[in-house]
Amino acid sequence: MRVVLAEDLFLLRDGLVRLLEAHDFEIAAAVESGPELSRALAELDPDVAVVDVRLPPTHTDEGLQCALEARRRRPGLPVLVLSQHVEQLYARELLADDSGAVGYLLKDRVFDAEQFVDAVRRVAAGGTAMDPQVIQQLLARKSADDRPLARLTPREREVLEEMAQGRSNAAIAGKLVVTERAIAKHTANIFAKLGLEVSDDDNRRVLAVLAHLDHGR
């Protein structure tokens, strides 16, 4: 699997290269600036891009904008964005086209090698990998005035957070140490209470949940 990596901090970039190569990824390019990233995405046609939001020369949202432009040229290009802080605007921009194959992780997650590599693979496969803190902030923002969310039980909210991060019923069941059948029942209840169409497709249901959480922004 070929990866284009964009990170301006040398030590972190080098560490990510070594980590990904250790898990059988091929690094097509490892760059440090927006212009380099744009060229690499246009010329190398990677399987997935792992991109720091803030890159030279602007150090604002250069990396994100380069990735979004690349997705406009190649719809569905898998992109995993890394950010120092939770910025909901960036998450919304990334999810705006509803096509999946996107991820938004805080850089702290990079230090959990298994979680990070799983997110890269999930995004490359067309799935969605959202940082738990992004989901928690969306839930907190909506809970105050959203009656459907208020009707969820504590366990259903827990399952919702896991679902919105891109995990399947089997993965959620394993993490919460319950049966997959129990998770299927919880997810059915969640979709019914939120007024969403039930879907067995992991990515479609993630996008449906995120769209609901972000509704009315």
Side-chain angles (χ1 to χ4, degrees):
M1 189 179 299
R2 299 173 69 249
V3 180
V4 164
L5 171 67
E7 166 59 55
D8 64 321
L9 297 177
F10 171 77
L11 289 178
L12 181 53
R13 184 172 69 251
D14 186 61
L16 289 174
V17 167
R18 293 172 185 270
L19 173 60
L20 290 169
E21 287 181 337
H23 286 82
D24 300 321
F25 290 91
E26 176 189 344
I27 306 301
V31 302
E32 61 180 339
S33 70
E36 289 176 306
L37 173 60
S38 292
R39 285 194 298 273
L41 292 177
E43 297 172 4
L44 299 176
D45 195 28
D47 297 306
V48 60
V50 179
V51 178
D52 184 7
V53 167
R54 301 178 186 274
L55 291 174
T58 67
H59 288 287
T60 55
D61 61 352
E62 187 93 358
L64 176 65
Q65 294 309 321
C66 289
L68 292 175
E69 176 58 31
R71 277 174 68 90
R72 284 189 281 270
R73 292 194 307 266
R74 177 187 152 188
L77 169 68
V79 173
L80 176 62
V81 165
L82 304 178
S83 179
Q84 195 70 42
H85 309 287
V86 175
E87 302 201 41
Q88 293 178 27
L89 176 61
Y90 294 160
R92 291 201 299 266
E93 286 194 61
L94 200 59
L95 292 161
D97 64 6
D98 294 332
S99 62
V102 294
Y104 183 106
L105 291 184
L106 293 183
K107 287 188 175 181
D108 287 350
R109 309 291 170 196
V110 172
F111 298 107
D112 185 329
E114 183 178 346
Q115 187 178 46
F116 174 68
V117 170
D118 176 67
V120 176
R121 287 188 173 135
R122 194 187 315 162
V123 169
T128 306
M130 298 300 293
D131 196 280
Q133 289 193 36
V134 175
I135 304 306
Q136 288 167 9
Q137 287 199 17
L138 289 172
L139 278 169
R141 189 189 65 184
K142 289 283 285 183
S143 291
D145 57 359
D146 192 285
R147 292 180 182 177
L149 275 179
R151 292 202 298 268
L152 298 184
T153 66
R155 176 60 96 181
E156 287 168 354
R157 287 177 65 90
E158 194 173 12
V159 171
L160 176 63
E161 289 187 25
E162 297 296 326
M163 187 195 311
Q165 291 169 45
R167 292 190 173 90
S168 65
N169 281 0
I172 298 171
K175 182 172 182 181
L176 300 183
V177 197
V178 297
T179 65
E180 190 172 344
R181 190 172 185 178
I183 297 300
K185 182 177 179 180
H186 286 311
T187 57
N189 288 341
I190 290 167
F191 273 76
K193 290 179 181 180
L194 298 184
L196 298 171
E197 182 180 349
V198 177
S199 174
D200 292 328
D201 182 279
D202 289 340
N203 196 53
R204 287 183 182 276
R205 71 182 194 163
V206 169
L207 293 173
V209 170
L210 291 171
H212 174 81
L213 293 178
D214 204 35
H215 179 68
R217 61 183 177 271

